[in-house]
Amino acid sequence: MDFGVVLQTNPPASRTVQLAKLAEAHGFSHVWTFDSHLLWEEPYVIHSAILAETRRITVGPFVTNPATRDWTVTASVFATLNEMYGNRTICGIGRGDSAVRVTNGTPTTMAELRESIHVIRELANSRAVEYKGATLQFPWSRGSELDVWVAAYGPQALKLTGEVGDGFILQLADPDIAAWMIRQVKDAAAAAGRDPDAIAFCVAAPMYVGDDWAHMRDQCRWFGGMVGNHVADIVSRYGQRGAVPGELTDYIAGRTGYDYNSHGRAENDHVDFVPDAIVDRFCILGTAADHVAKLEQLRELGVTQFAGYLQHDNKEETMRVYGESIIPAFRGGITAKR
């Protein structure tokens, strides 16, 4: 299993770069950043700085979308970073959430998402592609390599992921829900004639190493609110029951609204509707041994990467414990201690 960290690009940018360097030093393989150009600083500029100051880490957005950026420009960014620093980029993409909603926009259609994945991947892999009636290719790009991982919750997005994604991003760490969603993606891949085992499966959730459960839950409760945005879309389209597991949809009954100015922040003050049980299920909290136990459950389901959000007050210590105890436990190393 690989391990990544998910960072917000809050100013100063040097802080994000510092955390990325620490992640590499502690053995993480990926650094992901939010991509919402109004709420945070421009991620791709910071990606370039991260790549310049690291040697092994793979960097990408978590996640970008087809609505706020021209697809050919997105592809050019990745191909350029790969030319500058070697093939150390990855693209996480979804239909769009905070980046489009703060401008009163809406997520893209499944058809637009599907086409954007194809255009971005072909161009960023130094290949030609048909786009808007023209055959396009970067004449300056040679040997660029880019995988595109799709973030999904709903039935149609999960189906699309299995059909075209190089990887699947699931933004919650509940093993029961993960098992259901991974199965949807694998079934869709098999039906499309693809090898389901060739798809990467990334579970992402806040990770907090500690023993004060009340404090950890309060620091990570924002995540249930963020997930609730996506779940609300699913419920509005498919209804409360049937399309996805009830464990995912039931808790949003008390949701009354959402302020994107507090999106993804520990100090979010309007996520009281998220109960402790959901925080515990969706996140990975507790001692190193607690983390290893839950991560082992996820690995047995076929998860190939865990990406931990670090939007809390214990960033460095959590990464240190992962580097010293938790990551080695998944690479034939030591057993994590309590």
Side-chain angles (χ1 to χ4, degrees), residues 94-112:
R95 294 176 57 216
D97 182 36
S98 60
V100 296
R101 295 185 194 275
V102 293
T103 58
N104 293 321
T106 57
T108 61
T109 66
M110 291 297 170
E112 290 170 325

Side-chain angles (χ1 to χ4, degrees), residues 37 46 318:
H37 59 290
I46 298 173
T318 292

Side-chain angles (χ1 to χ4, degrees), residues 20-21 24-25 29 49-59 85-88:
K21 292 169 67 175
E24 181 175 78
S29 61
I50 291 172
L51 290 165
E53 296 196 32
T54 57
R55 294 294 173 265
R56 300 178 304 278
I57 213 86
T58 296
V59 177
Y85 303 109
N87 290 317
R88 295 168 53 206

Side-chain angles (χ1 to χ4, degrees), residues 102-149:
V102 293
T103 58
N104 293 321
T106 57
T108 61
T109 66
M110 291 297 170
E112 290 170 325
L113 177 59
R114 182 186 297 269
E115 185 181 2
S116 73
I117 291 168
H118 175 67
V119 170
I120 292 168
R121 181 164 50 204
E122 294 306 293
L123 288 174
N125 279 278
S126 303
R127 297 191 291 260
V129 69
E130 295 298 314
Y131 180 60
K132 294 184 178 180
T135 300
L136 304 178
Q137 187 170 11
F138 298 137
W140 46 267
S141 180
R142 298 288 185 275
S144 178
E145 297 177 3
L146 180 76
D147 282 350
V148 181
W149 293 9

